[in-house]
Amino acid sequence: NILAPALMVFLLFAIVIFAYLIPDIEKSSLDKKRDLLRMTIQVAQNNLQQFYEREKSSELTRAEAQERAISFFRAARFGEDMKDYYWINDLEVKMVVHPYRPDLNGKDLKDFTDPDGKHMFVDFVNIAKQNGSGFSKYMWQWKDNPAKIVPKLSYVQLFEPWQWVIGTGIYIEDMRAEIRAVKDKLYLMFTAIAFVIILITSILIYQTSLHNSKQFEYETALLMSEERFRTIVE
C-alpha cells in the first residue's frame, strides 16, 4: 500500500526534473547569454557614439575620431578571463580592427571562410544590412589561441553613422559548460531527494511490516487464548 504511492511520487518528480525543469533551464541559460551579447554590443555602440559625437562637434575629424575608436577597441578586453573582445568590419566587408587577428586589419574579407566553408564576415554584413543586428554561428579560434578552432555564437550590429559592423561573441563550449554545471547540480539534487524518498519509504515499509507482524502475533495469541478458554469451559 505504501510502495505504490511512493513510486508514483518518485516518478512524477523525475518527470518534472527531466522533462520540464532541465530543458527550461537550458533555454533560459541560452536566452540569458544572447541577452548578454546584446547588452555587451550596446555598450560598444555607446562608446562608438561618444567618438562620433566628438566628430559632430568638430572636436575631431572623422579620420581622427575613427582612429581613436579603433585604438580603443583594439585594447578593449572583458569577460571573466579578460580575453573577450570586439571586432569591427565595414559594409564593404573589410576588417577595421580585430584585436587577435591584426593580420586581417584593412583586408577585404569577402572570400574569408571558416573551416566549414562559411563566409562569416559576409554573413555579418548581410545581417547588418537586412536587420540592423542579429546572431551568427560559425567556427573560430579560441580567444588568443589560433591553433584551437571551436564553434562560436556572435552578435553583430550596424553602427549607422560610420557604416561599421561591430560584433562580439561567446564560445558554444563555454555555454555548454555552464549549462552542464547547472544540470550536474540538478542531478545531484535529484539523487539526494531520491535517496530521501527511498529512505523514508523503506522506513515506512519496515514500520508497517513490524506493525503487521505484531498484529499477527496479537491475533494469534488471542485465538490461542480463546481456544484454551473454550477447552476449559468444555
Side-chain angles (χ1 to χ4, degrees), residues 30-88:
L30 291 174
D31 289 343
K32 286 180 180 178
K33 291 299 180 184
R34 290 189 177 96
D35 289 341
L36 178 61
L37 288 178
R38 291 189 188 96
M39 288 188 292
T40 304
I41 285 296
Q42 189 55 54
V43 171
Q45 289 276 335
N46 293 340
N47 286 321
L48 280 174
Q49 185 65 33
Q50 290 179 20
F51 290 109
Y52 175 61
E53 291 296 332
R54 297 177 70 180
E55 176 201 337
K56 286 203 305 181
S57 67
S58 300
E59 179 185 346
L60 299 171
T61 66
R62 170 160 292 194
E64 290 172 338
Q66 289 183 343
E67 186 55 40
R68 294 196 183 190
I70 289 169
S71 297
F72 175 83
F73 286 104
R74 184 184 294 119
R77 298 291 186 278
F78 54 94
E80 291 184 4
D81 54 3
M82 297 304 291
K83 288 187 177 181
D84 293 331
Y85 60 91
Y86 300 101
W87 77 88
I88 302 173

Side-chain angles (χ1 to χ4, degrees), residues 33-41 78 84-87 89 98 114 118 120-121 123-124 127-128 133-141 150-157 165-172 175:
K33 291 299 180 184
R34 290 189 177 96
D35 289 341
L36 178 61
L37 288 178
R38 291 189 188 96
M39 288 188 292
T40 304
I41 285 296
F78 54 94
D84 293 331
Y85 60 91
Y86 300 101
W87 77 88
N89 57 269
H98 195 297
D114 70 0
K118 181 173 182 176
M120 70 271 254
F121 292 105
D123 189 45
F124 299 157
I127 290 171
S133 62
F135 292 94
S136 180
K137 190 182 293 184
Y138 55 97
M139 302 294 291
W140 191 254
Q141 72 180 47
V150 295
K152 189 174 186 180
L153 176 69
S154 290
Y155 184 74
V156 297
Q157 186 170 329
V165 180
I166 185 164
T168 190
I170 187 170
Y171 295 94
I172 306 296
M175 296 171 64

Side-chain angles (χ1 to χ4, degrees), residues 2 13 51-52 81 90 93 102 111 126 144 147 158 165 170 173 181 188-189 202 206:
I2 295 175
F13 178 69
F51 290 109
Y52 175 61
D81 54 3
D90 63 20
V93 202
D111 297 325
N126 289 337
D144 55 351
L158 176 66
V165 180
I170 187 170
E173 191 172 311
L188 183 62
M189 182 184 73
S202 299
Y206 172 76

